[in-house]
């Protein structure tokens, strides 16, 4: 847990704000590079007028919490989970160990790791009624809609999850959600394919088991190519957390009402579904397919500059440099294409990236490839349909959502999320009943 530092006595670590409406001056302490919005709320013209609020659509410059889970330096392209650089974790760790690190805040001992893997391996099954529930979706239901609904439905199978103040209960729900997300994700895929649902195989590792539930047919035992298992495991690591992104903000906001973690994570799945967030990897593939060939790239780029198109997979709220995950993913793409053969869309993507990195429109707006630009190409090489790409993102992001939720419910500074607004509507209108209005 991060301790709340006392406001500094150092006069230099403060703002002196002069309210020209009243001539009053206020000293506003600066702590960790931020001021308390509550201090601005004290600036008012009289007792009957509300204090100064901060207007910040999309929370572009608003800190909602103190967190020790993930550190990002957007200018330098740095990403660290619990202080460990993403490059080292991607190269030397594995997804379940990174799960443990994010949730517990430190790397596991061998015994802790073995127990963690055992617990997750033996919680991959879901209640048979969940399967029946999922079979009720239309044949062409989007897997993300199925995943969002199924995660929320788990809250009805584990009603004790509402007891969020009990550490052992929290641990159990976290293990269940990490363990069951691949099962729900794979079954959403099988449903869309019209194939029978495959049950977890507890003799396989976490990522290999996910591939088995996705692709196993009549063979006795699913055999995944180790290079594909490794590449997918790295992709899960790269997606595991990303500080206060849109979906994590949703998990924290819904979680701030003290609802169970399944309902909070279902909200995160919903936020991730959007094309500006996790849905971007699916949108990248659709964009590349629409471009169709390298010859069409210049006219597409013109469309972006005219505001008629967005270059999906480019740009980021925080990274104003290359997304460090994109670099690592490019390497994984080479490993995957070794097995699957290259992807014709990759040639278009590489040419698009080359042009964009040299074009002032993108350079001036600091628009670089983000994690979604290449992940979609790898998922395509795995022969996932684009609708599944964001489900893969959600499986990777689950430990991050849960680590952030866990931090939220233990943070004594946190309270229910309820922002202010700037009201722009009518006031004090006289209501005329319909019988008179419609004469
Ligand atoms: C993820 O937050 C996270 O951490 C997210 C994520 C995670 O791990 O959780 O990293 C995962 O969501 C990555 C982002 C995936 N989304 C996309 O690739 C969709 C395309 N990208 C954009 O929609 C956009 O870049 C955002 C949403 C990612 C960021 O938008 P911001 O920070 O709100 O920036 P902005 O929209 O204000 O853009 C600034 C300028 C604008 O130009 P002007 O209007 O000032 O002239 O850049 C332009 C935008 O129009 N711009 C783009 C663009 N992204 C921004 N122009 C063309 N193509 C783009 N992709």
């Amino acid at each position: 847990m991060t301790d709340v530092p006392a406001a500094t006595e150092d006069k230099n670590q403060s703002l002196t704000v002069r309210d020209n409406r009243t001539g009053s001056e206020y000293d506003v302490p600066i702590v960790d590079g931020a001021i308390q919005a509550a201090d601005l709320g004290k600036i008012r013209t009289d007792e009957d007028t509300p204090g100064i609020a901060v207007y910040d659509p999309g929370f572009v410059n608003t800190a909602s919490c103190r967190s020790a889970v993930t550190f990002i330096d957007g200018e330098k392209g740095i990403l660290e989970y619990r202080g460990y650089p993403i490059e080292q974790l991607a190269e030397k760790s594995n997804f379940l160990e990174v799960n443990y690190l994010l949730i517990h805040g430190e790397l596991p001992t061998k015994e802790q790791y073995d127990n963690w893997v055992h617990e997750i391996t033996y919680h991959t099954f879901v209640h048979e009624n969940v399967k029946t529930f999922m079979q009720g979706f239309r044949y062409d239901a989007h897997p993300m809609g199925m995943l969002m609904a199924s995660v929320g439905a788990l809250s009805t199978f584990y009603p004790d999850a509402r007891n969020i103040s009990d550490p052992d209960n929290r641990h159990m729900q976290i293990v269940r959600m990490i363990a069951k997300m691949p099962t729900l994700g794979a079954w959403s895929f099988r449903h869309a394919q019209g194939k029978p649902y495959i049950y977890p195989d507890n003799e396989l590792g976490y990522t290999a088991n996910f591939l088995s539930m996705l692709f196993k047919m009549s063979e006795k035992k699913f055999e995944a190519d180790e290079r594909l298992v490794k590449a997918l495991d790295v992709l899960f690591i790269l997606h595991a957390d990303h500080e206060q992104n849109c979906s994590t903000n949703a998990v924290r906001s819904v979680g701030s009402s003290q609802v169970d973690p399944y309902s909070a994570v279902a909200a995160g799945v919903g936020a991730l579904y959007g094309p500006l967030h996790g849905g971007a990897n699916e949108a990248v593939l659709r964009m590349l397919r629409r471009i169709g060939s390298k010859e069409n790239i210049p006219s597409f780029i013109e469309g972006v500059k005219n505001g008629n198109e967005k270059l999906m997979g480019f740009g980021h709220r925080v990274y104003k440099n290359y997304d460090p995950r994109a670099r690592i993913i490019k390497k994984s793409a080479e490993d995957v294409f070794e097995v699957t053969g290259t992807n014709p869309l990759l040639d278009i993507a590489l040419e698009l990236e080359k042009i964009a990195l040299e074009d002032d429109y993108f350079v001036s707006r600091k628009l670089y490839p983000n994690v979604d630009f290449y992940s979609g190409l790898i998922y395509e090489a795995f022969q996932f349909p684009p609708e599944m790409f964001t489900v893969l993102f959600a499986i990777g992001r689950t430990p991050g959502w849960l680590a952030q939720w866990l931090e939220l419910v233990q943070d004594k500074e946190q309270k229910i999320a309820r922002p202010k607004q700037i009201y722009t509507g009518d006031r004090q209108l006289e209501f005329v009943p319909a019988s008179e209005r419609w004469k």
Side-chain angles (χ1 to χ4, degrees):
M1 253 320 292
T2 49
D3 298 327
V4 180
T8 171
E9 288 307 313
D10 177 354
K11 275 293 186 208
N12 293 329
Q13 290 302 314
S14 68
L15 298 179
T16 298
V17 177
R18 176 184 168 79
D19 183 346
N20 293 319
R21 300 171 298 178
T22 61
S24 303
E25 288 200 349
Y26 303 80
D27 274 340
V28 179
I30 301 170
V31 179
D32 293 334
I35 60 171
Q36 301 281 338
D39 287 342
L40 296 180
K42 294 170 188 160
I43 301 176
R44 52 180 59 198
T45 53
D46 57 55
E47 283 310 304
D48 301 330
T49 311
I52 297 277
V54 176
Y55 178 55
D56 187 10
F59 314 125
V60 174
N61 190 35
T62 294
S64 62
C65 63
R66 291 178 179 284
S67 177
V69 179
T70 290
F71 175 77
I72 297 176
D73 180 323
E75 290 304 328
K76 300 194 181 88
I78 293 172
L79 170 57
E80 296 168 355
Y81 294 159
R82 297 288 189 183
Y84 292 94
I86 190 68
E87 295 79 3
Q88 294 182 33
L89 294 172
E91 187 191 340
K92 300 173 184 168
S93 186
N94 66 57
F95 184 54
L96 282 193
E97 185 179 48
V98 169
N99 273 248
Y100 187 97
L101 172 65
L102 287 168
I103 298 290
H104 295 86
E106 57 192 14
L107 288 170
T109 62
K110 181 172 184 338
E111 186 187 3
Q112 288 166 332
Y113 178 73
D114 291 346
N115 288 337
W116 179 246
V117 172
H118 178 83
E119 276 195 297
I120 287 171
T121 302
Y122 288 90
H123 281 91
T124 48
F125 278 74
V126 294
H127 193 291
E128 276 297 284
N129 287 162
V130 174
K131 182 176 164 188
T132 314
F133 167 83
M134 293 183 79
Q135 286 170 329
F137 283 97
R138 261 175 63 103
Y139 67 92
D140 60 352
H142 195 293
M144 277 300 279
M146 291 182 69
L147 185 66
M148 174 168 54
S150 309
V151 171
L154 288 184
S155 67
T156 66
F157 288 87
Y158 305 108
D160 56 336
R162 285 197 287 267
N163 183 6
I164 62 171
S165 58
D166 175 354
D168 294 336
N169 191 303
R170 292 199 296 255
H171 173 80
M172 195 64 254
Q173 310 313 335
I174 286 171
V175 164
R176 281 174 172 149
M177 219 168 321
I178 291 172
K180 299 176 196 304
M181 200 60 91
T183 308
L184 299 177
W187 287 6
S188 305
F189 174 72
R190 297 290 285 201
H191 182 87
Q193 302 261 313
K195 292 174 183 164
Y197 294 14
I198 301 295
Y199 287 99
D201 177 345
N202 291 343
E203 290 173 5
L204 296 175
Y206 185 85
T207 305
N209 174 47
F210 175 54
L211 289 171
S212 169
M213 292 188 289
L214 285 165
F215 298 121
K216 184 174 179 297
M217 292 308 284
S218 60
E219 68 272 35
K220 275 248 175 302
K221 192 96 177 158
F222 180 78
E223 300 287 340
D225 185 302
E226 270 313 307
R227 289 167 294 180
L228 297 182
V229 174
K230 174 65 181 166
L232 191 52
D233 204 72
V234 169
L235 283 167
F236 284 156
I237 290 173
L238 296 177
H239 286 86
D241 192 52
H242 214 241
E243 60 158 61
Q244 305 311 313
N245 57 86
C246 179
S247 53
T248 297
N249 180 62
V251 170
R252 278 181 170 264
S253 179
V254 169
S256 72
S257 71
Q258 296 189 356
V259 75
D260 69 273
Y262 298 98
S263 304
V265 169
V269 176
L272 192 72
Y273 195 175
L276 293 190
H277 189 14
N281 52 22
E282 177 181 347
V284 166
L285 252 292
R286 297 190 191 288
M287 172 186 76
L288 294 174
R289 284 187 176 145
R290 213 152 37 84
I291 292 171
S293 71
K294 286 189 195 177
E295 293 67 41
N296 298 334
I297 291 177
S299 62
F300 177 80
I301 294 281
E302 270 321 295
V304 172
K305 293 177 178 177
N306 301 334
N308 302 325
E309 297 279 0
K310 247 194 198 307
L311 186 50
M312 301 312 277
F314 269 68
H316 199 279
R317 173 66 57 78
V318 179
Y319 291 123
K320 299 310 174 190
N321 194 320
Y322 222 93
D323 183 334
R325 301 166 298 178
R327 283 189 208 289
I328 300 168
I329 283 188
K330 264 180 94 170
K331 166 80 181 59
S332 292
E334 288 148 18
D335 299 343
V336 168
F337 295 142
E338 232 178 65
V339 178
T340 62
T342 188
N343 178 319
L345 296 173
L346 177 67
D347 300 335
I348 299 174
L350 290 172
E351 182 65 14
L352 196 54
E353 180 194 27
K354 181 173 167 295
I355 293 173
L357 292 180
E358 292 161 359
D359 186 310
D360 185 56
Y361 177 89
F362 301 99
V363 175
S364 64
R365 288 172 174 76
K366 298 189 174 184
L367 298 178
Y368 295 94
N370 58 49
V371 66
D372 292 300
F373 187 66
Y374 285 103
S375 58
L377 292 167
I378 294 179
Y379 297 149
E380 156 103 357
F382 270 92
Q383 294 179 359
F384 288 117
E387 299 77 26
M388 269 300 285
F389 294 0
T390 312
V391 169
L392 296 160
F393 194 145
I395 292 169
R397 185 53 53 90
T398 296
W401 286 330
L402 290 167
Q404 301 272 351
W405 170 79
L406 198 53
E407 198 172 56
L408 163 87
V409 296
Q410 298 176 92
D411 183 344
K412 295 193 176 17
E413 273 201 316
Q414 286 298 327
K415 49 180 63 180
I416 187 166
R418 204 270 179 237
K420 284 181 170 257
Q421 65 172 17
I422 294 174
Y423 181 66
T424 59
D426 294 324
R427 294 292 320 283
Q428 300 296 318
L429 298 177
E430 192 62 31
F431 178 75
V432 179
S435 56
E436 291 176 36
R437 291 203 315 273
W438 298 338
K439 270 180 190 155

